[in-house]
Amino acid sequence: MGIGLIVRVTTVDGKGPEFEAAFAVQAKGVRENEPGNKLYQLVRSREDPNSYVVMELYDDLADLEAHRNAPHMVNNRPAMAGLIGGKTTVEIFDAV
């Protein structure tokens, strides 16, 4: 059974393009180095340009844990930190 995540992120006003660029670097690392990841997609709200959702899907819990601790994730966190404003929420699902 797979594991899905919906991560809701609000960026600092006007920092959306920088956030998207930093996310693209991170996503490239996920796609190149995480065979247990099946989906890692950023989407932006049409109503609020500072509101994003990251949709993620992993084969299992071990793949999700590997993702969280992967070098490309750890190394990109400082670039993302100053771009995120407000609370980030994470909802975890079981794939069916």
Side-chain angles (χ1 to χ4, degrees):
M1 178 183 309
I3 296 178
L5 277 76
I6 297 292
V7 182
R8 297 182 189 282
V9 178
T10 301
T11 59
V12 172
D13 194 34
K15 295 290 186 179
E18 290 176 60
F19 174 76
E20 291 174 24
F23 186 89
V25 169
Q26 192 167 286
K28 183 176 188 286
V30 170
R31 291 184 184 108
E32 291 177 353
N33 299 295
E34 297 185 37
N37 173 273
K38 303 307 177 202
L39 176 67
Y40 195 71
Q41 181 66 51
L42 179 67
V43 295
R44 180 182 58 240
S45 170
R46 289 183 170 187
E47 296 177 12
D48 179 358
N50 297 320
S51 180
Y52 292 84
V53 171
V54 182
M55 299 178 290
E56 305 178 43
L57 185 61
Y58 300 90
D59 284 337
D60 55 33
L61 185 57
D63 291 318
L64 173 57
E65 290 301 321
H67 165 75
R68 290 178 175 160
N69 300 311
H72 52 272
M73 296 300 294
V74 173
N75 294 338
N76 205 44
R77 283 187 186 123
M80 299 287 257
L83 306 174
I84 297 173
K87 184 179 179 185
T88 297
T89 62
V90 178
E91 191 171 358
I92 300 175
F93 298 84
D94 290 322
V96 294

